C-alpha cells in the first residue's frame, strides 16, 4: 500500500467511503455552479426590464412667433439635476434677432418646497438667431422631475410651451429582480458557511433552497416585465404633477384614453386689422361640455395647435399659434385680401385623442390700403388692390395634376382618376433629388377641402366663404415608405363648431406613377380626368426609411435633408365633386405650399 496515496483512494482493506465534509463541499460547488449559470441566464432575460417606460424622446414644437416660423427642439434630460438643451430651427427668410428663454416649474406637489417654487423662473438663457436658416441652441438648468414650461420671449410677445421631465423611477418588476438577486447572493454565502461549519449535509439544503426560491422570483419578474403594461404617462395619460412624475407607479389604477371626451369650442377674438395690415388673432379653447378653459392640449404632430386659414383667393395659411396663457393662444397675421377667411384648428387633448374643430364664424377682413408685399405665412406672394379683385399670382392659381413650378422648384402631381368612396393615391414629386426635410415630423402634408361648386372652387374672391361651409376638411400625412400608414383626420361640417365626424385614411409611401405634363385647367378636368401614367417604381421607399424613431430614439428633425423627392398620400374622397387640395413639404429650409383643384367622380364610374 502506498503511504502517499490520497485519502480517497480505494485500496485493499479500505471501506470505499468518502469523507462527509468532502461530499458536502462537492455539492456546494455544484450548487454554486448552477447559481452562476442561473444568474447569467437571468441577466440576459432581465435586460429588457432596464428600459424606463416613462422616459420620452426629444420634444419638437413648432411656433409662429410674431413674424418668425420656428421649430423648438427640447432635447431629453438624461439626468437630474442636468441641462435641458434647446435647439431653435429657423427657416428661409427668418429675421435675425435674440430670443430670451426661461425654465419655469409648474404643477402641484405635496412637498412644500417644490410647491412654493412653482411658477418661478429657475434658469435663463438667450439664443441669438442668425440671418441664415439653421439650428441655434442654448441650455437651461433643470433640477427636478415634473411639469415645466419653456418661456420664450422675442421682445414683444411671450410663448409658454409646456413639457414634462420624467423621473427615473424603478419599476416593481425591476425591484423584484434586484431583490431576488441580492437575496440569492446573501444566501449563497450562508450556504457556503453552513457547508463548512456544519458536518451534517442536510442543513445545506435549507439555504440552498432559499437561493433557488430567490432566483425563481428574480427570473419570473424578469420574464414577465416585458408583458406588463407600463404605468400611466404623466402629461400624456394623467395630469402631470411633481409627485406622479417622480413616482409614476404610485398611480396603480388602469388608465386608458377616453376618446369620447367632448371636443373643445374654438372662439376667435376680434381682428380689427384690414387687408394688408398686420394684426394679432387671439384664440381661446373651452371644453365643449363645461365651458371651462381647456388647458390640456398636448403636443401633436410637432405642435400644440395647427391653425388652418383659407382666404377668399384660395390661399392657405398653416400656422402654429403660441400659447400665451392657459387655454389662450395667439398668432400674428397679415391677410392680403378683403373678404371672408375660413378658420380651423387641429390639436390633441390629454386623453381625448386628436380633434379638428372649425370656427363657426371665421374671419371677415375689411378692405385696406394697397398691399403688394409677401403674404404672411402663405405659400408665396399675393396682392390686393383697394376696391378691386385681388391679383392672384400664377403660383397660387389651383391647377390639376401635372407639372408646375413653385418658388423655383418643379412639382409634379400624379392623381389617377379619384373616385368617391375609393382610396386614391396622390403622389407629388418635389424637385428631382431626395432633399426633403421632415416638417412637423412628416415628409409631406395634404390639406383637403370640399366638395365645392366649380364656380366657388375656381373663384378668386369666394373661396373662403365656400370653405366655411364645405362638408369635408381633411389633413393627411405622408411619412415614409417604411410606414404602414397614418391617419388622415377628417372633419365634416355638422355642426361647424364641432368635430362630430372624423374620417380616417391611411397615408404612407405607396406605389405611384409620374404625371404627364398638362395645363391642369378646370375645363380639361371637366371634360376628362388628367391622370398620370405609371412608371412602375415605388415612392421613395428606401430614401424615406428611418423617419420614425426606433427603440425610444427621437425621429429625424428638419436638419436632415435626405427624403423624397416623392411624397405620397392615400385618401378616400367621401363625395363626388370639386376639391381644393394643398400639398406642403419642406425643401431648402422653406415650406412649399402647392395648390391643386381635383375633380372626384361619382362611384360607379358616372361622369
Amino acid at each position: 500500500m502506498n503511504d502517499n496515496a490520497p485519502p480517497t483512494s480505494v485500496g485493499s482493506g479500505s471501506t470505499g467511503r468518502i469523507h462527509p465534509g468532502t461530499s458536502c463541499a462537492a455539492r456546494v460547488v455544484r450548487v454554486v455552479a448552477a447559481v452562476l449559470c442561473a444568474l447569467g441566464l437571468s441577466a440576459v432575460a432581465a435586460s429588457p426590464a432596464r428600459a424606463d417606460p416613462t422616459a420620452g424622446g426629444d420634444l419638437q414644437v413648432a411656433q409662429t412667433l410674431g413674424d418668425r416660423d420656428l421649430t423648438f427642439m427640447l432635447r431629453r434630460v438624461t439626468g437630474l439635476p442636468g441641462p435641458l438643451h434647446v435647439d431653435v430651427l429657423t427657416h428661409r427668410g427668418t429675421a435675425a434677432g435674440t430670443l430670451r428663454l426661461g425654465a419655469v416649474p409648474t404643477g402641484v406637489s405635496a412637498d412644500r418646497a417644490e410647491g412654493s417654487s412653482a411658477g418661478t423662473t429657475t434658469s435663463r438663457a438667450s439664443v441669438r438667431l442668425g440671418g441664415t436658416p439653421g439650428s441655434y441652441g442654448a441650455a437651461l438648468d433643470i433640477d427636478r422631475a415634473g411639469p415645466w414650461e419653456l418661456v420664450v420671449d422675442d421682445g414683444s410677445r411671450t410663448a409658454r410651451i409646456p413639457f414634462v421631465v420624467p423621473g427615473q423611477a424603478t419599476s416593481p418588476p425591476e425591484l423584484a429582480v434586484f431583490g431576488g438577486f441580492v437575496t440569492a447572493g446573501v444566501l449563497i454565502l450562508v450556504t457556503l458557511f453552513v457547508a463548512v461549519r456544519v458536518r451534517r449535509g442536510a442543513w445545506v439544503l435549507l439555504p440552498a433552497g432559499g437561493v433557488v426560491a430567490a432566483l425563481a422570483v428574480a427570473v419570473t419578474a424578469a420574464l414577465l416585465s416585458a408583458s406588463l403594461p407600463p404605468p400611466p404617462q404623466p402629461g400624456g395619460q394623467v395630469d402631470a404633477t411633481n409627485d406622479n412624475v417622480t413616482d409614476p407607479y404610485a398611480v396603480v389604477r388602469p388608465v386608458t384614453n377616453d376618446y369620447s371626451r367632448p371636443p373643445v369650442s374654438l372662439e376667435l377674438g376680434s381682428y380689427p386689422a384690414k387687408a394688408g395690415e398686420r394684426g394679432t388673432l387671439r384664440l381661446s379653447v373651452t371644453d365643449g361640455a363645461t365651458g371651462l378653459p381647456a388647458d390640456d392640449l398636448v403636443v401633436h404632430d410637432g405642435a400644440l395647435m395647427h391653425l388652418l386659414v383659407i382666404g377668399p383667393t384660395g390661399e392657405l395659411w398653416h400656422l402654429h399659434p403660441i400659447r400665451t396663457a392657459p387655454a389662450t393662444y395667439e398668432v400674428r397675421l397679415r391677410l392680403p385680401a378683403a373678404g371672408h377667411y375660413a378658420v380651423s384648428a387641429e390639436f390633441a387633448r390629454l386623453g381625448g385623442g386628436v380633434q379638428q374643430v372649425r370656427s363657426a364664424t371665421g374671419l371677415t377682413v375689411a378692405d385696406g390700403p394697397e398691399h403688394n408685399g409677401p403674404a404672411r405665412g402663405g405659400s408665396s406672394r399675393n396682392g390686393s388692390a383697394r376696391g378691386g379683385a385681388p391679383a392672384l399670382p400664377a403660383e397660387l392659381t389651383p391647377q390639376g395634376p401635372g407639372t408646375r413650378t413653385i418658388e423655383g422648384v418643379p412639382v409634379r402631381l400624379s392623381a389617377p382618376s379619384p373616385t368617391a368612396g375609393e382610396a386614391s393615391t396622390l403622389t407629388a414629386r418635389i424637385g428631382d433629388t431626395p432633399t426633403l426635410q421632415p416638417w412637423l415630423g412628416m415628409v409631406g402634408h395634404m390639406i383637403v377641402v370640399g366638395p365645392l361648386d366649380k364656380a366657388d372652387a375656381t373663384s378668386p374672391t369666394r373661396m373662403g366663404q365656400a370653405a366655411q361651409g364645405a362638408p369635408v376638411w381633411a389633413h393627411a400625412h405622408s411619412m415614409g415608405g417604411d410606414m404602414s400608414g397614418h391617419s388622415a383626420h377628417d372633419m365634416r361640417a355638422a355642426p361647424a363648431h364641432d368635430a362630430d365626424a372624423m374620417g380616417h385614411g391611411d397615408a404612407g409611401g405607396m406605389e405611384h406613377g409620374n404625371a404627364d405634363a398638362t395645363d391642369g385647367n378646370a375645363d380639361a378636368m371637366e371634360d376628362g380626368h388628367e391622370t398620370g401614367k405609371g412608371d412602375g417604381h415605388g415612392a421613395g421607399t428606401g430614401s424615406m426609411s428611418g423617419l420614425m424613431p426606433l427603440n425610444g430614439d427621437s425621429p429625424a428633425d428638419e436638419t436632415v435633408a435626405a427624403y423624397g423627392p416623392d411624397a405620397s398620400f392615400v385618401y378616400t374622397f367621401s363625395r363626388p365633386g370639386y376639391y381644393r387640395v394643398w400639398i406642403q413639404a419642406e425643401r431648402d429650409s422653406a415650406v412649399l405650399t402647392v395648390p391643386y383643384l381635383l375633380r372626384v367622380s361619382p362611384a360607379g364610374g358616372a361622369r
Side-chain angles (χ1 to χ4, degrees):
M1 181 175 179
N2 187 2
D3 295 336
N4 297 324
T8 56
S9 298
V10 180
S12 59
S14 64
T15 62
R17 298 182 61 185
I18 301 176
H19 193 277
T22 304
S23 176
C24 291
R27 286 197 296 268
V28 169
V29 170
R30 289 194 295 269
V31 170
V32 171
V35 168
L36 292 177
C37 293
L39 286 175
L41 294 175
S42 300
V44 174
S47 58
R50 292 198 302 266
D52 182 7
T54 64
D58 300 340
L59 182 66
Q60 174 179 300
V61 186
Q63 296 278 266
T64 304
L65 184 61
D67 294 331
R68 297 184 176 102
D69 289 316
L70 306 172
T71 300
F72 291 85
M73 299 295 301
L74 282 65
R75 306 300 180 181
R76 73 181 75 182
V77 178
T78 57
L80 293 173
L84 168 67
H85 294 281
V86 180
D87 293 331
V88 183
L89 308 182
T90 63
H91 302 96
R92 190 195 308 167
T94 300
T98 300
L99 300 180
R100 287 168 289 278
L101 309 180
V104 179
T106 60
V108 296
S109 174
D111 184 89
R112 182 182 297 274
E114 291 186 350
S116 61
S117 62
T120 303
T121 303
T122 60
S123 180
R124 302 178 187 272
S126 296
V127 177
R128 295 188 62 85
L129 304 180
T132 58
S135 178
Y136 304 87
L140 298 167
D141 295 328
I142 301 296
D143 59 0
R144 74 191 69 172
W148 289 75
E149 283 185 352
L150 175 65
V151 180
V152 183
D153 181 9
D154 68 347
S156 60
R157 58 191 52 79
T158 301
R160 312 184 75 89
I161 303 173
F163 66 97
V164 177
V165 177
Q168 302 298 321
T170 302
S171 66
E174 288 176 319
L175 292 176
V177 171
F178 298 151
F181 286 158
V182 170
T183 302
V186 173
L187 291 179
I188 287 176
L189 298 178
V190 174
T191 303
L192 293 174
F193 178 80
V194 171
V196 173
R197 301 288 296 184
V198 179
R199 301 182 64 85
R200 296 182 59 182
W203 290 103
V204 179
L205 298 178
L206 293 179
V211 171
V212 174
L215 288 176
V217 172
V219 172
T220 302
L223 294 176
L224 294 180
S225 62
S227 60
L228 295 178
Q233 296 182 2
Q237 294 174 299
V238 293
D239 291 325
T241 68
N242 292 327
D243 297 326
N244 67 22
V245 173
T246 303
D247 185 11
Y249 299 95
V251 182
V252 295
R253 60 182 178 84
V255 177
T256 57
N257 287 340
D258 180 12
Y259 290 102
S260 64
R261 194 169 190 175
V264 303
S265 297
L266 179 67
E267 299 179 8
L268 306 183
S270 61
Y271 186 76
K274 298 181 180 180
E277 298 177 346
R278 295 188 183 276
T280 299
L281 175 63
R282 291 180 173 84
L283 309 98
S284 59
V285 288
T286 56
D287 186 87
T290 64
L292 298 175
D295 193 36
D296 55 0
L297 304 191
V298 295
V299 174
H300 157 68
D301 288 343
L304 286 169
M305 177 183 293
H306 300 265
L307 188 71
L308 301 178
V309 180
I310 299 176
T313 63
E315 188 172 3
L316 171 75
W317 287 260
H318 182 171
L319 306 170
H320 305 98
I322 61 173
R323 175 179 173 270
T324 58
T328 303
Y329 297 79
E330 71 174 43
V331 64
R332 195 172 185 184
L333 293 167
R334 184 169 61 186
L335 302 176
H340 188 81
Y341 290 76
V343 179
S344 172
E346 179 183 313
F347 40 73
R349 296 188 68 182
L350 176 64
V354 179
Q355 301 179 17
Q356 190 177 30
V357 181
R358 214 182 308 180
S359 168
T361 59
L363 293 176
T364 299
V365 178
D367 200 0
E370 183 177 355
H371 172 66
N372 293 306
R376 173 70 193 97
S379 57
S380 62
R381 295 144 309 280
N382 196 356
S384 64
R386 183 178 179 88
L392 193 64
E395 291 188 349
L396 292 181
T397 303
Q399 298 180 6
T403 300
R404 61 187 306 180
T405 300
I406 300 294
E407 298 189 18
V409 180
V411 181
R412 181 171 52 194
L413 176 67
S414 170
S417 302
T419 302
E422 299 180 4
S424 300
T425 301
L426 288 76
T427 300
R429 167 159 288 189
I430 304 169
D432 298 318
T433 57
T435 54
L436 297 184
Q437 300 162 262
W439 185 49
L440 307 173
M442 319 293 172
V443 171
H445 298 256
M446 183 175 71
I447 312 299
V448 178
V449 172
L452 304 167
D453 181 78
K454 178 184 177 182
D456 292 335
T458 57
S459 172
T461 58
R462 300 195 305 271
M463 183 56 208
Q465 189 65 54
Q468 181 72 45
V472 174
W473 284 48
H475 181 184
H477 296 143
S478 174
M479 295 195 302
D482 61 333
M483 297 302 297
S484 59
H486 190 74
S487 297
H489 309 295
D490 186 355
M491 183 186 72
R492 307 185 187 280
H497 63 281
D498 290 335
D500 293 334
M502 300 286 287
H504 299 278
D506 292 333
M510 305 295 292
E511 186 79 6
H512 80 287
N514 290 335
D516 293 336
T518 61
D519 59 2
N521 57 50
D523 293 334
M525 294 177 62
E526 179 72 22
D527 296 335
H529 293 292
E530 300 178 18
T531 62
K533 292 180 173 60
D535 61 2
H537 64 278
T541 302
S543 62
M544 291 183 182
S545 62
L547 181 60
M548 295 304 294
L550 297 175
N551 299 324
D553 293 334
S554 299
D557 56 38
E558 297 174 50
T559 60
V560 180
Y563 302 100
D566 296 315
S568 293
F569 307 86
V570 175
Y571 182 72
T572 301
F573 296 91
S574 60
R575 307 182 185 186
Y578 288 90
Y579 286 81
R580 291 295 299 268
V581 175
W582 296 265
I583 291 179
Q584 295 185 299
E586 183 174 354
R587 188 174 185 270
D588 294 333
S589 297
V591 178
L592 305 178
T593 302
V594 192
Y596 290 101
L597 176 64
L598 297 181
R599 180 180 180 272
V600 177
S601 300
R607 302 289 296 184

